[in-house]
Amino acid sequence: MTSEPISTTHLLDRLKWRYSCRKYDTTRTIPEPVWSALEEALVLTPSSYGIQPWKFLVVTDRELRKKLYPFSHNQQPVLDASHLVIFTARESILPEDIEAWCRRVRELHHSSPEDFAGMRQALIDEIIHGPNRHRLFEWASEQAHIALGNFLTSCALLGIDASPMGGIKPHEFDEFFGFRAQRLRTVVLCAAGYRHPDQKGTGGRKTRFEKSTVIEYRP
């Protein structure tokens, strides 16, 4: 696969265009080809060890979202956006999860089980039995936030508004969808769609610290 990178100007223009939209146009829906690309962007998100300890639940039905509305402290994008994505993370990882990942690698790269025997055991030793095994959900949540960041940038590049929402009642989402039975827990939400015509955004002027305040170089 060969492709030319986008220009630095285009990248920065799109990032300046985006903002956390609070009011969506309920008459507009993200076209299927655009949404399909955003789904693929989620799948392409990098993760530690490549293990992808997450699942993304997409909710488009607005009647269903009315039931989710109270779980998000009544944040309006839950109701009005075209799509709502619930980012969940694994609360535990089992040897069969590692095996599923190895099986997928073998499938894509036409490798034999023997080629990944050492890698499989190394992942089990590190993730399941390693020193950080007691903070596995925290680690998986960090990975889910990488996916969120990738999703927000991908939305901006495609001209889609998005609103990340962390002020939610994750346990309510877990109970409603039965996530715990799947060894998943809710981490964060993100609504996606098109801003309402009366929403002008930031006009490219964002309240951010100067680069010199937040970026430091060491010789």
Side-chain angles (χ1 to χ4, degrees):
M1 179 183 298
T2 58
S3 60
E4 291 296 320
I6 65 174
S7 69
T8 55
T9 299
H10 182 57
L11 172 64
L12 295 177
D13 282 348
R14 297 314 302 166
L15 293 178
K16 290 176 181 176
W17 170 85
R18 77 150 302 278
Y19 79 114
S20 190
C21 181
R22 307 314 300 171
K23 186 176 182 181
Y24 283 84
D25 187 342
T26 59
T27 67
R28 299 186 66 188
T29 301
I30 299 172
E32 193 281 329
V34 176
W35 183 255
S36 180
L38 290 172
E39 285 185 334
E40 190 68 19
L42 281 172
V43 171
L44 290 170
T45 298
S47 63
S48 182
Y49 306 106
I51 210 69
Q52 304 150 75
W54 51 47
K55 192 168 187 178
F56 313 112
L57 180 65
V58 181
V59 185
T60 56
D61 183 79
R62 286 194 167 91
E63 289 303 312
L64 175 56
R65 283 193 262 164
K66 287 179 181 178
K67 299 177 182 178
L68 307 179
Y69 185 57
F71 307 160
S72 64
H73 297 291
N74 301 334
Q75 296 184 70
Q76 198 63 29
V78 170
L79 296 179
D80 295 343
S82 171
H83 290 61
L84 178 70
V85 185
I86 304 171
F87 290 72
T88 71
R90 289 280 175 208
E91 63 176 356
S92 65
I93 291 181
L94 303 177
E96 49 260 45
D97 299 319
I98 305 296
E99 178 55 41
W101 179 84
C102 291
R103 189 165 56 247
R104 180 60 172 162
V105 174
R106 293 196 301 268
E107 175 187 322
L108 292 174
H109 297 279
H110 308 291
S111 304
S112 68
E114 292 75 19
D115 293 334
F116 284 89
M119 174 63 75
R120 176 184 178 279
Q121 191 58 50
L123 289 172
I124 289 175
D125 292 343
E126 178 63 28
I127 297 175
I128 299 177
H129 303 303
N132 293 320
R133 65 188 182 279
H134 300 302
R135 59 176 298 273
L136 198 143
F137 174 68
E138 181 182 347
W139 168 78
S141 297
E142 292 166 354
Q143 308 306 302
H145 277 93
I146 294 173
L148 173 63
N150 187 41
F151 183 72
L152 292 173
T153 299
S154 299
C155 283
L157 290 172
L158 293 177
I160 302 298
D161 287 293
S163 308
M165 290 172 278
I168 61 174
K169 300 175 182 178
H171 299 299
E172 301 284 354
F173 283 92
D174 294 345
E175 182 176 347
F176 186 86
F177 289 107
F179 286 148
R180 299 301 289 272
Q182 305 172 57
R183 294 183 289 113
L184 297 168
R185 287 165 59 184
T186 301
V187 176
V188 67
L189 309 183
C190 191
Y194 296 95
R195 64 189 68 176
H196 193 276
D198 67 12
Q199 298 292 289
K200 303 304 181 183
T202 64
R205 299 181 63 185
K206 295 181 177 293
T207 304
R208 298 289 192 271
F209 288 113
E210 294 288 344
K211 285 192 291 185
S212 59
T213 303
V214 297
I215 300 175
E216 181 177 334
Y217 286 85
R218 293 293 177 91

